[in-house]
Amino acid sequence: MPGESIFAAGDFLVDELLLVTTSGMEINLIKSFMGITLYEDIFSMTITGKISIMDAVNIASHGPLLGQEYLHLKIRTPNFTEKDDIIDFSKNAFLVHSISKRQNIGNGIQGYVLSFASQELVRNQRIKVTQSLIDPWSDIVKKMLVDYLDTKKKITIEPSTGIKKFVAPNMRPLDIVVLGTKQAISTFKGEPTYLFYETLKGFNFRTL
């Protein structure tokens, strides 16, 4: 928008902050949030985060909020318009998994914190894999993400060498991915230092 500019370090604009309840009700949180924190780490499989809410209209009574809501988020830095500069989870929404104890701030206003994570982490808890797998580890990891966790995010995978043959004994998809980080050998210089992690740009299975 015209006139957008950075006034201080850390300035950002929220283009979308929508909470969708289990009943399908959409709640716009742009005017209710006090802060957003996103965590990404090369030693963490998925992105997690928290959003602080200052609720003056008793949002929870309209939902209600159960800790199973979808959170659609899109934020950007003023003057930055390139696609890679925008944090966009408006389509690949986060899933709220817990709500802190509500506290009375005063004047009829409640405060609480919504904790959320990537959908894939929550979906992983509900799925078990029991099948024979015969592929390079890099292909197996992609299969876990696409076929089982149904991710639509960008996936960056460094090819691994050799063929892995084993029967997954009722394992969760991300447990198989973790096993891959321990056993996979890269076709590039034989590197055994694989890590699996999610950034704001997508999932990564690659070596140090």
Side-chain angles (χ1 to χ4, degrees):
M1 292 185 297
E4 291 179 354
S5 59
I6 300 174
F7 295 100
D11 276 359
F12 64 92
L13 295 173
V14 179
D15 290 330
E16 183 174 340
L17 187 56
L18 190 68
L19 190 72
V20 180
T21 69
T22 53
S23 64
M25 179 179 290
E26 297 183 353
I27 303 172
N28 192 335
L29 298 178
I30 287 182
K31 294 183 179 180
S32 302
F33 84 96
M34 294 184 291
I36 300 173
T37 304
L38 293 171
Y39 303 96
E40 62 175 11
D41 189 323
I42 62 170
F43 299 109
S44 178
M45 290 189 291
T46 65
I47 292 174
T48 59
K50 295 182 179 181
I51 175 170
S52 302
I53 301 295
M54 185 171 62
D55 183 4
V57 295
N58 198 12
I59 294 173
S61 67
H62 300 289
L65 302 184
L66 304 173
Q68 302 173 19
E69 296 75 26
Y70 289 98
L71 182 68
H72 299 261
L73 171 67
K74 186 176 182 179
I75 61 179
R76 59 189 171 88
T77 301
N79 297 335
F80 285 66
T81 58
E82 296 295 326
K83 184 177 180 180
D84 287 343
D85 297 325
I86 299 173
I87 299 174
D88 190 356
F89 287 87
S90 56
K91 295 181 179 179
N92 297 311
F94 291 109
L95 193 63
V96 176
H97 59 78
S98 65
I99 304 171
S100 70
K101 184 177 180 181
R102 298 177 179 86
Q103 296 182 344
N104 185 16
I105 298 176
N107 297 322
I109 299 176
Q110 291 184 331
Y112 48 89
V113 175
L114 303 178
S115 298
F116 56 86
S118 297
Q119 287 188 47
E120 290 82 1
L121 183 63
V122 180
R123 195 176 294 134
N124 178 67
Q125 303 302 314
R126 305 169 182 166
I127 297 174
K128 292 292 183 68
V129 180
T130 302
Q131 74 165 95
S132 176
L133 298 168
I134 306 175
D135 276 306
W137 267 118
S138 50
D139 290 349
I140 292 174
V141 168
K142 185 175 181 180
K143 183 181 183 69
M144 295 300 107
L145 293 173
V146 176
D147 295 350
Y148 284 92
L149 297 181
D150 193 30
T151 186
K152 300 297 189 297
K153 298 173 182 175
K154 179 182 177 180
I155 303 173
T156 301
I157 293 182
E158 185 175 335
S160 64
T161 186
I163 301 295
K164 176 66 179 179
K165 300 179 181 179
F166 81 110
V167 176
N170 203 33
M171 297 174 67
R172 291 188 171 89
L174 290 182
D175 289 340
I176 294 176
V177 172
V178 170
L179 184 61
T181 63
K182 298 176 181 178
Q183 297 185 4
I185 303 296
S186 173
T187 55
F188 178 72
K189 295 186 177 181
E191 281 288 328
T193 57
Y194 271 93
L195 294 172
F196 175 74
Y197 56 96
E198 183 186 8
T199 69
L200 297 172
K201 306 304 179 186
F203 287 104
N204 298 269
F205 180 72
R206 56 202 306 184
T207 64
L208 290 173

